[in-house]
């Protein structure tokens, strides 16, 4: 399998065949994101030949894997005219595949009609990973996400309406100390309105060389400290009113690994956070955190 640059994929796709159909991210402007800044990660759609070659490789050497993840940043941005034959080829050449997943930002979801999403679902698209990051309008504008809370909600609902599993990522600390409360509450509200099947809460790790990393460096952005991050997570959880949602804050960037099912486990998760806030559970040391 050949790849352009390093590959980023959701933790739950660890055992998937990673098929790179785009390189980089078509947006590539979020101020906190350093994923696709390298020269070899300039956005492009890989050629049909490159993709076909890698599917042929997978057909030969990846016969035990049952899932495919389409990389990089927003593979859903491909036109329907490219996606339909691609999905058909995967089904034809990798008949053991049971699930196809990809990252899809709100712009890419918007570019598809409900019928087109349903068509992709019928061809095997099982899961879309979408970055909400924050539900707060001011923060979304500051991080240059190119979306509003309303556009995020409508994209998320469209995915759910198409019957596709929606996994949404949010980023603790993105409002800094200044907007921590409003970040937590607005994000909880927007997640409730989107009603995803899975929520993943990561914790901000400012990266050198990104606009947000520079802002931390020059003192114009102050990230919450670990205890404040935990309080933010607590507030966000209280603001989420969803049922039958898998909630995960157990990424390597988090100070306190927790997961459970909302609303069933909400009180239990809050109790764990409270114990950590009281000093009864140690937080992950800074040196152990990773992206
Ligand atoms: S849309 Fe995702 S991959 Fe693209 S710049 Fe923003 S966070 Fe990074």
């Amino acid at each position: 399998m050949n790849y352009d640059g390093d590959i980023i994929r959701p933790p739950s796709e660890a055992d998937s065949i990673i098929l790179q159909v785009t390189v980089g991210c078509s947006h590539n402007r979020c101020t906190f994101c350093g994923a696709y800044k390298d020269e070899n990660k300039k956005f492009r759609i890989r050629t049909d030949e490159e993709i076909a070659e890698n599917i042929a490789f997978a057909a030969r050497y990846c016969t035990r894997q049952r899932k495919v993840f389409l990389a990089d940043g927003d593979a859903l941005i491909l036109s329907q005219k490219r996606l339909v034959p691609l999905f058909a080829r995967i089904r034809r050449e990798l008949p053991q595949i049971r699930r196809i997943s990809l990252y899809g930002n709100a712009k890419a979801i918007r570019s598809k009609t409900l019928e087109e999403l349903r068509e992709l679902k019928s061809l095997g698209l099982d899961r879309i990973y979408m970055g909400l990051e924050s539900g707060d309008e001011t923060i979304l504008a500051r991080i240059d996400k190119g979306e509003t809370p309303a556009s995020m909600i409508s994209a998320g609902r469209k995915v759910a309406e198409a019957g596709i599993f929606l996994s949404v990522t949010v980023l603790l600390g993105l409002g800094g100390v200044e907007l921590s409360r409003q970040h937590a509450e607005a994000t909880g509200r927007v997640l409730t309105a989107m009603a995803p099947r899975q929520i993943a809460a990561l914790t901000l790790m400012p990266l050198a060389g990104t606009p947000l990393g520079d802002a931390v460096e020059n003192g114009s952005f102050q990230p919450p400290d670990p205890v404040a991050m935990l309080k933010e997570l607590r507030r966000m959880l209280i603001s989420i009113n969803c049922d039958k949602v898998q909630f995960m804050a157990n990424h390597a960037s988090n100070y306190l690994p927790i997961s459970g099912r909302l609303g069933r486990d909400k009180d239990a998760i809050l109790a764990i956070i409270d114990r950590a806030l009281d000093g009864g559970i140690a937080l992950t040391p800074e040196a152990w955190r990773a992206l």
Side-chain angles (χ1 to χ4, degrees):
M1 194 76 76
N2 69 63
Y3 298 121
D4 280 11
D6 295 337
I7 294 292
I8 295 171
R9 47 122 187 105
S12 44
E13 300 294 333
D15 55 352
S16 302
I17 298 169
I18 310 292
L19 190 63
Q20 189 181 31
V21 298
T22 62
V23 177
C25 162
S26 66
H27 180 62
N28 210 19
R29 288 206 316 263
C30 300
T31 61
F32 61 88
C33 177
Y36 303 115
K37 298 295 184 221
D38 288 354
E39 203 44 38
N40 65 351
K41 281 294 190 181
K42 268 203 176 131
F43 180 74
R44 76 176 179 97
I45 295 172
R46 294 189 110 191
T47 63
D48 287 340
E49 291 70 33
E50 284 175 295
I51 297 170
E53 200 179 292
N54 284 316
I55 292 177
F57 178 94
R60 194 151 179 206
Y61 298 107
C62 310
T63 51
R64 291 176 174 213
Q65 283 156 281
R66 299 276 178 272
K67 298 187 291 178
V68 165
F69 179 75
L70 302 180
D72 274 338
D74 57 346
L76 194 66
I77 204 74
L78 258 74
S79 69
Q80 195 75 356
K81 254 177 29 204
R82 297 284 304 272
L83 283 172
V84 169
L86 169 63
F87 276 59
R89 183 186 275 266
I90 293 172
R91 285 165 68 95
R92 194 171 58 245
E93 297 190 28
L94 307 172
Q96 81 278 15
I97 293 304
R98 298 283 166 265
R99 187 177 111 184
I100 302 172
S101 313
L102 43 69
Y103 285 125
N105 59 29
K107 180 174 128 201
I109 295 167
R110 212 169 25 249
S111 76
K112 304 277 176 285
T113 64
L114 181 58
E115 288 64 39
E116 286 173 335
L117 286 176
R118 284 185 174 141
E119 182 182 25
L120 296 177
K121 163 80 183 168
S122 74
L123 291 170
L125 179 59
D126 177 79
R127 182 175 293 215
I128 295 180
Y129 296 92
M130 178 185 171
L132 166 64
E133 327 304 355
S134 176
D136 182 73
E137 185 137 27
T138 305
I139 297 171
L140 284 174
R142 282 189 188 174
I143 63 169
D144 205 0
K145 190 74 191 170
E147 299 294 334
T148 64
S151 69
M152 291 288 198
I153 292 169
S154 103
R157 284 188 174 159
K158 199 201 256 188
V159 172
E161 210 180 327
I164 299 170
F165 185 106
L166 176 65
S167 176
V168 176
T169 302
V170 299
L171 195 50
L172 297 166
L174 211 45
V177 170
E178 183 201 357
L179 301 182
S180 176
R181 173 184 280 264
Q182 103 184 39
H183 175 45
E185 292 174 353
T187 304
R189 276 197 304 275
V190 170
L191 284 168
T192 304
M194 290 171 88
R197 304 272 299 278
Q198 186 178 65
I199 298 168
L202 277 60
T203 301
L204 179 67
M205 295 187 73
L207 294 174
T210 61
L212 191 70
D214 293 347
V216 172
E217 193 73 11
N218 68 31
S220 57
F221 180 90
Q222 193 189 349
D225 64 22
V227 168
M229 291 279 197
L230 221 50
K231 288 183 177 165
E232 187 175 291
L233 173 61
R234 190 181 195 289
R235 194 165 270 135
M236 192 180 288
L237 263 166
I238 290 173
S239 306
I240 300 173
N241 279 305
C242 293
D243 209 21
K244 298 190 179 122
V245 186
Q246 188 184 1
F247 182 84
M248 303 181 301
N250 52 4
H251 183 261
S253 64
N254 293 111
Y255 286 104
L256 179 69
I258 47 176
S259 64
R261 202 151 176 84
L262 302 180
R264 189 189 68 190
D265 303 330
K266 189 172 182 175
D267 289 344
I269 296 175
L270 289 173
I272 293 171
I273 296 174
D274 287 341
R275 262 178 54 213
L277 287 171
D278 288 342
I281 305 176
L283 302 186
T284 302
E286 204 57 56
W288 293 7
R289 297 175 65 221
L291 278 176

